[in-house]
Every structure is written in C-alpha cells, then in structure tokens.
Amino acid sequence: MLKALKVGLVIERANRRNLVALIAVVMIVFGFMFYIKAQAVGNQLIEKKGDYYSTQAILSKFQVKDASETGDGSDIFKNLTKQKSKIALQIATLTMDRQSMYYESSLQLAELRQEAFQLEGYHDIAELLPSKLQNSMDYLYFKWMNDAGRDTITDLFQYIPFLLFFFSYVGAGWYIFISFQTSSILLDDFEHSSLIQGFPVRFDSYILSKCMISLLAILTSFLLIFICASPLWIVHGLGNPLDPVGIYVGDAVLISSVQYIAMSLGYMFVISIFVMLLSIILNVLLKNMYLTLFVHFILFFLPMIFPSLISVFPYNPFNFMNFNDILRGVPVDLAQPVDITMNLGLIILFICIILMLFAIKTFFSTGKIKRA
C-alpha cells in the first residue's frame, strides 16, 4: 500500500492536470472578486431600484386609480402599492445611510409579501415576485438583523462575506471541476504501468492510493481558496462570521456564515468522493477519458435540462450535485415541486459511495495491476 502511494505521488507530481487545476482555482477566486466589483454585486441600492421598477411595472397592469383602503383597487393591488411604498423607503434609507431603518422597512416588506400570498389574484403575478420560500428566508434574515439592532450592511469584499458569496455559487461548477480532475484517474497510470509492475500491487490497494492522492489534491484546492481570499482580510477586514444565512432544510431556517461555509466544504468533499469513484468505474469500463467526461456531463446536466425529471426520479443522486440550489430550496419552487433537502442528498450520496466501493472491491480487485 505504501509503495503504491509512493509511486502514485511520483507520477502525480509530474501530472500537469493537477497544476492546471490549482491555477484554475486561483483564477476562479480572483474572477469572483472581479465579478463583484464589475457588476456591483451586493449593492443594495441598485438592487432595490430594480425591485421598485419591477413593482411599478406590475402595478401598471391594474386598471385602477384609487389605491386607498376604501378605493376601487383590489386587495392585491393595494398590497402591491404598499410594497412599492416600502421599497421606496428602503431606497431612501440606503441613500441616507440609515441601515437600521433599512432592515426595519425590509422586514415590513417581507410581511406585506406574506400577506399577498393569501390574496386573490396573487398567482397572476407570482412569477414577478420572490417565491414564498425565498420570502420566508428574507423575513427570518431581516427579523434577525432588526432584532439584533444591526446598523451596517455586509461588504462582500470582507473575508467572511466574500467566502460566503463564493461558496453560495461554487456548487454549480464543483461537479464539473472534479470530473475534469478525475476523468483519467486510472488511465494516466496505465500509460506508465512499468513503474508499478516491479512489485505486487493489488488493484484495491492501488485504488485506495489513487483516492488518497486525489483527495489530497482536493484538500489543497480548498486551502488555496482560503489563501487566495486572504488579501481581502488584510485590506477590508474579516467581517462578521455570525451573520445569518437563510437555507432550506425542510423549512426555512437561519444559520451563521461560518456554518454555511463549513457545510459547503463538507458537501463538496462528499461530492468529490462520489465523482472520483464514478470516474474510476468509468475508466475501467470505458478506458477513455473523453467518454468518461461525456457520461459525467450527461448525468450532471440532464436534471438541469429537464427539471421534470427531478420529480420523476427524486432520489437520483445527480439531483443533489448543485448543493447551493438544494440549500436555496430551488426544487420546491419548480413547476412540479419536489421537497428534497441536503440531509437527504447526503444519505443518498453515502449509499451510492458504499455501493461503488463494493462494486470496485468485488469486481475489479482481481490481482496485480496490468497494462490497460
């Protein structure tokens, strides 16, 4: 086992794919920084102006003139008029740098939207407003901030807020990243089989050594993310690690920023093991890197291209690969809602990992390594 690990490390040290992967991690982290700056992400004033114009466009669909309590407008029209007023107040408080008032008005806006869900005619405009689940998360967030008496707005260029933003989107591409990194996990060594045929190496020991080396590379990628973001800590400060984040775990709940980051890292690690074992099986069966990648992409993108498949096959492990969508409760808001959670995803992924390990041990462990 130790000999297999030693030889594997020698081979991987010269593998350019690992260097390219690490460079890609660096570029992605700095790319996120550039994106935040260029697109003014997190600028509440710009976002609220967009909300204001959106609400104004919705109100223009109603043929009424009087939005007072006794006027001729419908209940949903009056509710939307109040929403528009609260959004205008949000814009004013942000302009005057009165953050505590901003959180208070935001909480009132979330309460108005909760009321709107029960009003006649809401379904006609539902697609133009936040979903019930998103509004529930907003309500919990603004209530927490209001109760805590916060008078500052999160700066995404601080260390913890940036990492939170990064890990809230990285799930969309993590499966693809690991697929590229492991697509030839066995094929590269088969090209250098003479290096590992000088001593007896059973396939299961070989597989274990390859997994350990790949996991080491993945942990290095994790470490590199934190290192690349560290200049933000020096220049802009740490940020508050206890700031709340809304997630869906069967219900809308709040967790701290560091909890979300730790949860994301753990989920990414489990996904990495799943993808790595699947790549091993595909390498043995297909003996081709491009076919391995093709199968990976088909399995990953199929639920995205055809969302109805999620409701047909809710326990498909590939439904859980974009864990950020699961934490945001996106499947709950599909045309055919599916109530799947991160905990369910972890259970399914662990079952799949055990089954793949059993398959590798049972069907592929048949003696010494031989040239492919």
Side-chain angles (χ1 to χ4, degrees), residues 186-301:
L186 301 186
L187 300 178
D188 289 343
D189 287 1
F190 285 155
E191 295 177 1
H192 306 281
S193 58
S194 60
L195 291 176
I196 54 178
Q197 287 181 344
F199 49 85
V201 180
R202 289 192 59 84
F203 198 80
D204 50 1
S205 297
Y206 168 69
I207 291 295
L208 182 58
S209 67
K210 292 297 296 183
C211 290
M212 292 175 64
I213 293 169
S214 294
L215 291 177
L216 180 61
I218 290 165
L219 291 175
T220 303
S221 297
F222 288 163
L223 181 61
L224 199 56
I225 292 171
F226 289 91
I227 292 174
C228 290
S230 59
L232 296 179
W233 188 346
I234 298 171
V235 177
H236 298 281
L238 176 64
N240 192 334
L242 299 180
D243 274 351
V245 184
I247 64 169
Y248 178 76
V249 289
D251 290 301
V253 298
L254 291 180
I255 61 173
S256 69
S257 297
V258 290
Q259 283 179 304
Y260 188 99
I261 293 171
M263 187 182 296
S264 298
L265 287 170
Y267 207 90
M268 289 162 66
F269 191 74
V270 174
I271 290 176
S272 300
I273 296 174
F274 175 91
V275 177
M276 182 173 54
L277 294 176
L278 182 57
S279 291
I280 288 171
I281 294 174
L282 292 175
N283 274 187
V284 172
L285 295 178
L286 302 176
K287 295 183 173 60
N288 185 286
M289 180 186 74
Y290 300 106
L291 288 177
T292 297
L293 279 174
F294 178 76
V295 174
H296 272 306
F297 291 173
I298 288 295
L299 294 173
F300 178 73
F301 286 110

Side-chain angles (χ1 to χ4, degrees), residues 22 86 115 151 166 183 187 189 221 242 258 295 325 345-346 360:
L22 295 179
K86 293 301 178 183
E115 295 174 7
D151 58 358
F166 180 87
S183 59
L187 300 178
D189 287 1
S221 297
L242 299 180
V258 290
V295 174
D325 279 356
L346 286 173
I360 292 170

Side-chain angles (χ1 to χ4, degrees), residues 306-324:
F306 303 104
S308 59
L309 291 178
I310 299 177
S311 59
V312 177
F313 304 106
Y315 302 127
N316 174 8
F318 296 94
N319 293 341
F320 301 90
M321 292 303 152
N322 188 349
F323 61 89
N324 297 134

Side-chain angles (χ1 to χ4, degrees), residues 12 21 47 49 59 74 85 92 101 118 124 134 167-168 186 210 222 224 230 236 245-246 249:
E12 289 299 319
E47 293 176 2
K49 285 181 178 179
L59 286 171
S74 63
S85 175
M101 291 181 63
Q118 312 302 323
D124 297 332
Q134 181 58 55
F167 284 109
S168 67
L186 301 186
K210 292 297 296 183
F222 288 163
L224 199 56
S230 59
H236 298 281
V245 184
V249 289

